[in-house]
């Protein structure tokens, strides 16, 4: 894998965050703070939160809250991956079932212009171009962003899960179940 920054230079990276267990919105907020708590990671932009049905994995999962952040980092790609995994672990991420329910998922979508087929960290993220829950929030913070030669907004509109996206209204913070303030 080509490792980009050396000598303290910063590389722009896009990270996708999702949660469908527990206090989802609080988890995402805490994860953003934890991700940029290191001086090697600087926050550039935070997308609005969207709610979606689970894509893949076991049936009957609670809905996900998803968001995207743009950062610049001096961490090498694999070091950024390890940092993301440490933040997942801090938020009690358990890896039992592929694409199963989770308190927090953090994916590196792009790391500068780096392309890598390394099985540990494939870049750009191999399924990002098909996932509206990544593409749409990303398009809101970077309308001119390009992935695989196309604008992320155009990719989002064609993604199979686009119709299932809804803005998150702040209610239903626990496993997709309203916890306070829900209007019947």
């Amino acid at each position: 894998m080509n490792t980009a920054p050396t000598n303290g230079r910063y590389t722009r990276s896009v990270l996708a965050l999702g949660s469908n267990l527990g206090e989802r919105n609080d988890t995402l907020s805490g994860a953003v703070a934890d991700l940029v708590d290191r001086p090697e990671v600087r926050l550039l932009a935070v997308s609005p939160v969207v709610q979606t049905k689970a894509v893949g994995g076991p049936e009957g999962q609670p809905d996900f809250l998803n968001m995207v952040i743009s950062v610049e980092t001096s961490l090498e790609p694999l070091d950024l991956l390890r940092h993301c995994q440490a933040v997942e672990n801090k938020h009690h991420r358990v890896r039992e079932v592929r694409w199963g329910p989770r308190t927090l998922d953090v994916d590196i979508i792009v790391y500068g212009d780096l392309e890598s087929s390394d099985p540990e960290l494939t870049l750009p993220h191999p399924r990002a171009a098909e996932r509206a829950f990544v593409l749409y929030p990303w398009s809101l913070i970077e309308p001119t962003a390009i992935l695989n030669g196309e604008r992320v907004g155009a990719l989002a509109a064609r993604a199979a899960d686009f119709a299932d996206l809804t803005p998150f209204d702040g209610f239903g913070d626990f496993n997709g179940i309203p916890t306070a303030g829900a209007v019947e």
Side-chain angles (χ1 to χ4, degrees):
M1 171 182 281
N2 176 12
T3 57
T6 55
N7 305 327
R9 290 184 304 202
Y10 282 79
T11 299
R12 189 187 65 76
S13 185
V14 173
L15 307 177
L17 291 77
S19 174
N20 76 336
L21 292 179
E23 299 287 339
R24 304 169 302 157
N25 198 41
D26 290 345
T27 297
L28 292 178
S29 296
V32 170
D34 292 335
L35 287 163
V36 300
D37 192 40
R38 293 182 63 166
E40 302 92 349
V41 182
R42 299 175 182 163
L43 184 62
L44 300 175
V46 178
S47 79
V49 175
V50 295
Q51 184 162 295
T52 66
K53 302 290 181 206
V55 175
E59 293 290 324
Q61 291 187 58
D63 288 351
F64 271 86
L65 292 186
N66 292 283
M67 66 184 301
V68 170
I69 65 173
S70 177
V71 300
E72 58 183 10
T73 182
S74 61
L75 294 173
E76 301 289 334
L78 289 174
D79 291 332
L80 180 60
L81 175 64
R82 287 181 187 89
H83 175 53
C84 292
Q85 291 170 338
V87 170
E88 289 176 335
N89 292 339
K90 179 178 179 181
H91 291 272
H92 311 291
R93 166 73 187 261
V94 177
R95 289 172 171 78
E96 292 177 349
V97 178
R98 183 173 183 172
W99 297 331
R102 48 206 173 268
T103 55
L104 181 62
D105 186 36
V106 180
D107 289 327
I108 301 171
I109 305 304
V110 296
Y111 182 93
D113 295 327
L114 182 63
E115 293 183 14
S116 167
S117 57
D118 185 311
E120 188 174 2
L121 180 59
T122 304
L123 292 167
H125 188 285
R127 291 169 298 283
E130 305 162 1
R131 294 181 169 169
F133 65 84
V134 171
L135 298 162
Y136 178 70
W138 183 9
S139 74
L140 297 176
I141 60 172
E142 293 184 21
T144 61
I146 303 290
L147 180 64
N148 299 342
E150 289 191 62
R151 286 205 179 196
V152 296
L155 290 168
R158 289 197 315 267
D161 63 322
F162 184 73
D164 291 331
L165 292 180
T166 57
F168 179 62
D169 62 8
F171 299 114
D173 274 355
F174 192 78
N175 291 344
I177 308 295
T179 56
V183 177
E184 307 245 354

